[in-house]
Amino acid sequence: MTFDVLISALWVVLQPQVLIVVLLASVYGLFIGAIPGLSATMATALLIPLTFYMDPVPAIAAIVATTAMAITAGDIPGALLRIPGTPASAAYVEEAYALNMKGKAQLAMGLGIVFSAAGGLFGALVLLVSAPLLARASLNFSSFEFFWLALLGLLTSALVSTNAPARGLFSLCLGLLISTVGLDVTSGQPRFTFGVIDLYGGVSFIPTMIGMFAFAELLRGLSSAASVPPVPAKESVFSNSFAGVWGAFRRYPWSFLRGSTLGSSIGALPGVGGDLAAWIAYGMSRRFSKTPEKFGTGHEEGLIEASSSNNAGLSSAWVPALVFGIPGDAVTAIAIGVLFMKGLNPGPKLFVENPTMLTAVILTFALANLFLIPIGFLAIKGARYVLAVPRGLIVPTILVFCVVGSFAINNTVFDIAIMLVAGLVAYLMEANRFPIAPVILGLVLGPVLERNFIMSMQIADGNLLGFFSRPVAAGLGILVCAIIVIPILRSLATRLRRPLS
């Protein structure tokens, strides 16, 4: 990356249009993230129809700002109500609430906001440095390497998204099956369309996303979840929001560095994303702490490490998304869909063809995380009002956004039907503990996997050993095979060791 490209990208990011979009998206993400039950992914899914009318940089900036703010705002109901606003916040909700019970609610929320922002800036720096280097190296990748990378991302997502790998693999296969609907990539013949003309272009990605992450939330009974513990009413609880944050950092500087590094490393793994980073970081903090007995009683150390890993993982999850076109999590899957809508195919060639735009996209991560501090301060001050919004107002508003957003993409009622069916399927899957993220990743990466598999088979004349003919492809192939085979061997070994009854 040259200095000229960096300056040009910075000029793009500092345009009033981008700044206004980031500000509005941050406020929107704050509102959604602070309300228990509304996830960051849901906020992003509802935002997609608006990005359709934006330029690429503001569109991605809106997604980045919404996600960063929603994840961070999820700490607010966790600290005040013991209800995590997002899955990542659940990792340390007990710690934050215990600090609140000590009369230090402002410190719990201040730590979450400041160290989320700092971790996000760390992750943005990692993305800015590593993405162009990886893109330059991956220019030599062929269809063999991209096939293995796509398969690695899919398998990783399926295996880490749930404690039951079989359920994750089922969700993944469902997503891959949905991705095959439409016209065959080689022959052009319709597949699984059942004579429905609207399915010839495939199952529309955007309505499916809105249905699975937004409409399914409504079906899970948001309107009935009205019994929420009262928010502390004393103004003193929300005063001097960042008092004690600097002192906590001076006591535990290594917790911040360890959490940010761990979050950046885990988030960059294809298909894993950032949510897992907070859980691992909190566990690592307790493992290496000099005072592990304080954890669970309102200890700042665990909050610093887990909060830092949150947004660091969010930023680095874009490394595989931008470099290889492989989503790091559900949010980056949405972003890739938005880039496809803009006629931009994420991958190493995009770094060569349009480096200024991609660098501008990366710089929006730093901008969004800088916005976290002032907006987060206002979030703490206005937490009581955000949490007091009646669910009876929120639910119908979200339902309207779901319907309008699904219809607006292609202006067809059929897409509304797809959204409703996808939401019902997601609701039934969640009720039976099947993860949703592998479905979405399978839907996004299915065409990539199929296209590269067919190209590779044509190059290798149908010989499967051709997938191991190149050094990098062979290494990735062995890794993927190990991920598949090792759990099977462990399961067989466990069964053989059981005494016969």
Side-chain angles (χ1 to χ4, degrees):
M1 181 188 301
T2 64
F3 183 72
D4 292 339
V5 170
L6 189 60
I7 294 298
S8 301
L10 187 61
W11 175 252
V12 172
V13 171
L14 295 179
Q15 293 297 311
Q17 179 189 6
V18 178
L19 294 175
I20 292 172
V21 165
V22 171
L23 177 62
L24 294 176
S26 298
V27 174
Y28 164 69
L30 155 70
F31 182 80
I32 297 294
I35 296 175
L38 304 185
S39 65
T41 310
M42 172 185 176
T44 309
L46 288 174
L47 196 65
I48 297 173
L50 294 178
T51 63
F52 188 76
Y53 303 100
M54 299 179 188
D55 292 332
V57 172
I60 299 300
I63 292 175
V64 171
T66 297
T67 309
M69 194 66 219
I71 290 290
T72 306
D75 295 347
I76 294 175
L80 297 179
L81 307 177
R82 206 180 182 182
I83 302 174
T86 61
S89 306
Y92 47 91
V93 63
E94 297 291 342
E95 203 73 65
Y97 188 71
L99 203 57
N100 175 24
M101 291 295 98
K102 289 182 176 180
K104 298 180 179 180
Q106 77 283 358
L107 177 59
M109 293 184 287
L111 287 172
I113 288 169
V114 171
F115 287 101
S116 290
L121 290 172
F122 186 94
L125 181 62
V126 170
L127 178 60
L128 185 65
V129 172
S130 63
L133 297 176
L134 286 172
R136 195 174 299 118
S138 65
L139 282 172
N140 297 319
F141 281 17
S142 67
S143 59
F144 296 106
E145 285 83 5
F146 280 110
F147 168 79
W148 288 121
L149 276 172
L151 192 56
L152 176 64
L154 290 169
L155 287 175
T156 310
S157 170
L159 295 176
V160 304
S161 58
T162 176
N163 292 328
R167 296 177 187 270
L169 289 173
F170 173 85
S171 298
L172 171 61
C173 291
L174 178 61
L176 290 173
L177 179 63
I178 296 173
S179 73
T180 61
V181 175
L183 299 179
D184 184 85
V185 293
T186 53
S187 65
Q189 294 296 314
R191 299 182 301 188
F192 308 119
T193 58
F194 306 103
V196 179
I197 303 296
D198 293 284
L199 288 176
Y200 275 37
V203 175
S204 189
F205 171 76
I206 306 303
T208 305
M209 286 291 305
I210 294 174
M212 287 197 155
F213 287 111
F215 183 61
E217 293 281 0
L218 304 184
L219 293 179
R220 275 191 282 273
L222 288 178
S223 58
S224 63
S227 56
V228 177
V231 183
K234 293 181 180 179
E235 288 296 330
S236 59
V237 173
F238 302 97
S239 62
N240 204 10
S241 305
F242 297 135
V245 172
W246 175 246
F249 174 71
R250 284 189 299 176
R251 288 192 296 273
Y252 308 110
W254 293 110
S255 293
F256 164 69
L257 291 174
R258 193 167 53 220
S260 299
T261 305
L262 184 66
S264 299
S265 304
I266 293 174
L269 296 175
V272 177
D275 280 354
L276 186 65
W279 292 87
I280 296 178
Y282 183 76
M284 290 282 286
S285 180
R286 189 167 189 162
R287 169 68 178 79
F288 291 104
S289 175
K290 295 179 181 178
T291 56
E293 69 279 358
K294 292 185 178 181
F295 279 71
T297 64
H299 193 35
E300 299 101 326
E301 187 177 1
L303 285 178
I304 291 174
E305 192 150 342
S307 298
S308 302
S309 68
N310 254 1
N311 280 14
L314 284 178
S315 299
S316 62
W318 288 68
V319 172
L322 293 178
V323 175
F324 305 115
I326 297 173
D329 55 11
V331 170
T332 49
I334 295 173
I336 285 180
V338 170
L339 287 174
F340 278 134
M341 283 197 304
K342 305 295 180 185
L344 300 171
N345 296 333
K349 289 185 178 179
L350 197 55
F351 280 84
V352 177
E353 297 168 355
N354 204 338
T356 299
M357 192 212 71
L358 271 186
T359 306
V361 167
I362 295 172
L363 289 178
T364 60
F365 287 86
L367 180 65
N369 283 283
L370 287 174
F371 271 51
L372 278 179
I373 301 295
I375 295 177
F377 176 79
L378 296 176
I380 294 175
K381 295 294 184 183
R384 289 184 296 116
Y385 305 106
V386 174
L387 293 170
V389 175
R391 295 298 178 92
L393 290 177
I394 296 172
V395 172
T397 303
I398 292 175
L399 182 59
V400 169
F401 277 125
C402 290
V403 173
V404 173
S406 300
F407 178 81
I409 301 301
N410 298 312
N411 294 325
T412 62
V413 178
F414 186 78
D415 283 344
I416 298 177
I418 288 179
M419 181 270 294
L420 295 173
V421 171
L424 180 60
V425 170
Y427 169 74
L428 294 174
M429 290 178 66
E430 286 276 321
N432 291 281
R433 293 176 289 126
F434 286 91
I436 301 302
V439 179
I440 299 303
L441 293 180
L443 182 59
V444 173
L445 287 182
V448 177
L449 190 73
E450 182 182 13
R451 183 171 60 252
N452 284 293
F453 176 76
I454 292 173
M455 288 174 60
S456 300
M457 289 295 285
Q458 290 172 341
I459 294 171
D461 290 328
N463 185 3
L464 290 176
L465 293 178
F467 285 85
F468 299 89
S469 60
R470 295 162 58 93
V472 176
L476 290 171
I478 292 171
L479 177 61
V480 169
C481 292
I483 291 174
I484 296 173
V485 172
I486 289 176
I488 297 174
L489 293 179
R490 282 182 178 174
S491 178
L492 290 174
T494 303
R495 290 190 177 187
L496 290 175
R497 282 196 295 266
R498 288 177 183 171
L500 295 175
S501 56

